[in-house]
Amino acid sequence: PPSHNLEMKHLPGADPELVLLSHRYEELERIPLSDMTREEINQLVQELGFYRKETPDAPVPEEFQFAPARPLPTLLPHQAPAADGKTPPERDEGEHPEL
């Protein structure tokens, strides 16, 4: 059965891979599929959160319309300096939540 928001393209001569895109169609990750069985690929798609439809034209529940995309992190208001005049430390670049 087809999965919502999952499109398969056959590229002759290319190794199969799953390309994950952001809501702006920016590439987030490439996952090679050459060494995986069909069952392993189906399991991966399920673990990533793609919604599996009963039939190609079946409706998709509202909560899965943008699946498997994660909600954008909410931005915190600008932090004011502490009483001692020092600004609180900002997060490191490596601490961003996943998309």
Side-chain angles (χ1 to χ4, degrees), residues 6 27 33 36 46 56 81 94:
L6 182 68
E27 186 177 312
L33 303 175
M36 297 176 77
Q46 183 179 6

Side-chain angles (χ1 to χ4, degrees), residues 13-84:
D15 288 334
E17 59 186 355
L18 177 63
V19 181
L20 301 175
L21 304 174
S22 73
H23 67 284
R24 293 182 179 152
Y25 299 98
E26 299 163 329
E27 186 177 312
L28 300 173
E29 184 178 0
R30 285 182 180 257
I31 302 170
L33 303 175
S34 305
D35 298 330
M36 297 176 77
T37 65
R38 180 183 297 261
E39 291 78 23
E40 290 171 328
I41 293 169
N42 287 336
Q43 181 66 33
L44 172 64
V45 168
Q46 183 179 6
E47 288 172 2
L48 289 171
F50 285 93
Y51 178 76
R52 192 172 194 140
K53 300 192 292 187
E54 296 291 324
T55 62
D57 58 342
V60 176
E62 188 175 331
E63 65 268 23
F64 291 105
Q65 287 295 318
F66 299 104
R70 312 301 192 280
L72 294 174
T74 52
L75 299 175
L76 299 174
H78 183 68
Q79 295 179 335
D84 62 2

